[in-house]
Amino acid sequence: MEALHSSKSFHAFLENNGLDASIYEKCEDIPRYIRINPRMPDTTIGDIETQLGTTLDKVTWLPHFYSLPDSVGIASSEAYKEGRIYGLDAASGAAVVALDPQPGHHVLDLCAAPGAKLCMIGDMLDGRGSITGVDVSRDRIATCRTLATKYKLHNCRLFLCDGTTFAAPPPTAPRQQEALAACEVTQQNVVAAS
């Protein structure tokens, strides 16, 4: 954040919008968050702490969430590579908890990338129902697909589309549900399940 604080354009933005730059001086030690993949019950907090070299603090109001210092990287850990943990901000997790998706629901996530919320929603649906992710950016939807594949979301479909014009219905017939066995990206139009 320090580079951002010294940026002339950042300070100009603050000044043009009547914002006091001192509010950003207090932005130290903001934690990052990870979510433990509940579909991998053999994952232990002790193992993850050892891999990350830090103590995890349980976020009591958010199931399976832990905070850690923002200086700790997770991408090189085996737990991350194996899909045992994923980075997800607590605010995004709280939005999913507030949505309260239940098995059998069909959930639409507009602006879905990078995909960690989709993974959490998939966990909550427990393989029943569907998740439809829509994003306007080809690169971001590709990242979303990578995460959905890594975390083995089998009830997910992704669309490269402007969310303001997206109008595909959720899959409802059993054969359509079975077609969600692999996460695929469709551009603009729904590919009909056979």
Side-chain angles (χ1 to χ4, degrees), residues 109-113 133-141 159-165 187-188:
D109 186 358
L110 298 174
C111 207
V134 177
D135 205 286
V136 72
S137 164
R138 183 175 302 282
D139 291 339
R140 289 178 54 80
I141 204 74
F159 292 86
L160 176 61
C161 182
D162 181 342
T164 63
T165 61
Q187 185 168 348
Q188 296 293 332

Side-chain angles (χ1 to χ4, degrees), residues 7-21:
S7 163
K8 288 181 183 178
S9 62
F10 179 68
H11 283 283
F13 172 83
L14 294 176
E15 188 175 314
N16 291 339
N17 290 284
L19 299 172
D20 181 3

Side-chain angles (χ1 to χ4, degrees), residues 69-116:
D70 69 343
S71 60
V72 176
I74 65 170
S76 62
S77 72
E78 287 303 311
Y80 179 79
K81 291 175 185 174
E82 294 171 354
R84 296 180 178 282
I85 63 173
Y86 49 91
L88 180 60
D89 189 72
S92 296
V96 174
V97 168
L99 179 64
D100 193 25
Q102 299 294 312
H105 284 175
H106 299 285
V107 180
L108 173 62
D109 186 358
L110 298 174
C111 207

Side-chain angles (χ1 to χ4, degrees), residues 100-107 121-131 155 170-172 177:
D100 193 25
Q102 299 294 312
H105 284 175
H106 299 285
V107 180
I121 292 166
D123 292 340
M124 295 175 79
L125 292 179
D126 196 26
R128 294 171 286 171
S130 67
I131 312 160
N155 54 341
T172 54
Q177 291 283 345

